[in-house]
Amino acid sequence: MIRFAFTAAILLPAVLVQAQTAFEPHTVAYALCVTNETKKLAQVTPEIAKDLIIERAFAACKDEETGGKKILADKGMSASAIDERFAQVKKFIRLTAPDDIDRQRVNRVPR
């Protein structure tokens, strides 16, 4: 699951604001939060639908998203660039999370 967060950061286009890269810490922290929440929810029995897991993970990390957006705005990044960055992260997560959820479920250890 962690590999997906770093892959997301690599694949996201860099927004050129004061030489910021796609590895901006607040964006990566948000992706890691969503990844960790997705992992936890994928382990729940009875199983939750994949799309619901993803949306719950986004909701659980709302504070990280809000905080990251505020810090980026304080650094001078435009609101549209910030929204685009987080939209790209969410899009990538929505594309890759179903496979990660399946892997978590396959590797789930019965309790």
Side-chain angles (χ1 to χ4, degrees):
M1 296 295 276
I2 292 175
R3 74 150 173 86
F4 125 98
F6 289 110
T7 303
I10 290 170
L11 295 177
L12 294 176
V15 178
L16 299 176
V17 173
Q18 300 175 355
Q20 288 184 340
T21 68
F23 288 105
E24 199 284 319
H26 305 290
T27 306
V28 173
Y30 173 71
L32 287 172
C33 177
V34 173
T35 300
N36 290 333
E37 287 299 319
T38 301
K39 181 179 177 181
K40 283 186 228 174
L41 291 168
Q43 305 264 338
V44 173
T45 305
E47 293 182 354
I48 302 169
K50 292 177 195 174
D51 58 339
L52 188 56
I53 287 174
I54 296 165
E55 295 309 315
R56 285 185 183 179
F58 287 141
C61 297
K62 191 66 176 167
D63 289 343
E64 284 79 3
E65 179 182 1
T66 302
K69 285 181 175 183
K70 182 181 179 334
I71 289 169
L72 292 172
D74 291 347
K75 289 183 177 182
M77 185 180 270
S78 71
S80 62
I82 293 168
D83 290 341
E84 178 64 25
R85 178 170 288 184
F86 280 88
Q88 291 280 336
V89 170
K90 288 179 179 182
K91 180 179 177 183
F92 186 80
I93 289 170
R94 283 189 176 100
L95 289 173
T96 60
D99 290 337
D100 291 331
I101 291 167
D102 287 340
R103 273 191 290 285
Q104 286 298 315
R105 288 178 173 170
V106 166
N107 294 323
R108 180 174 40 209
V109 177
R111 296 177 193 214

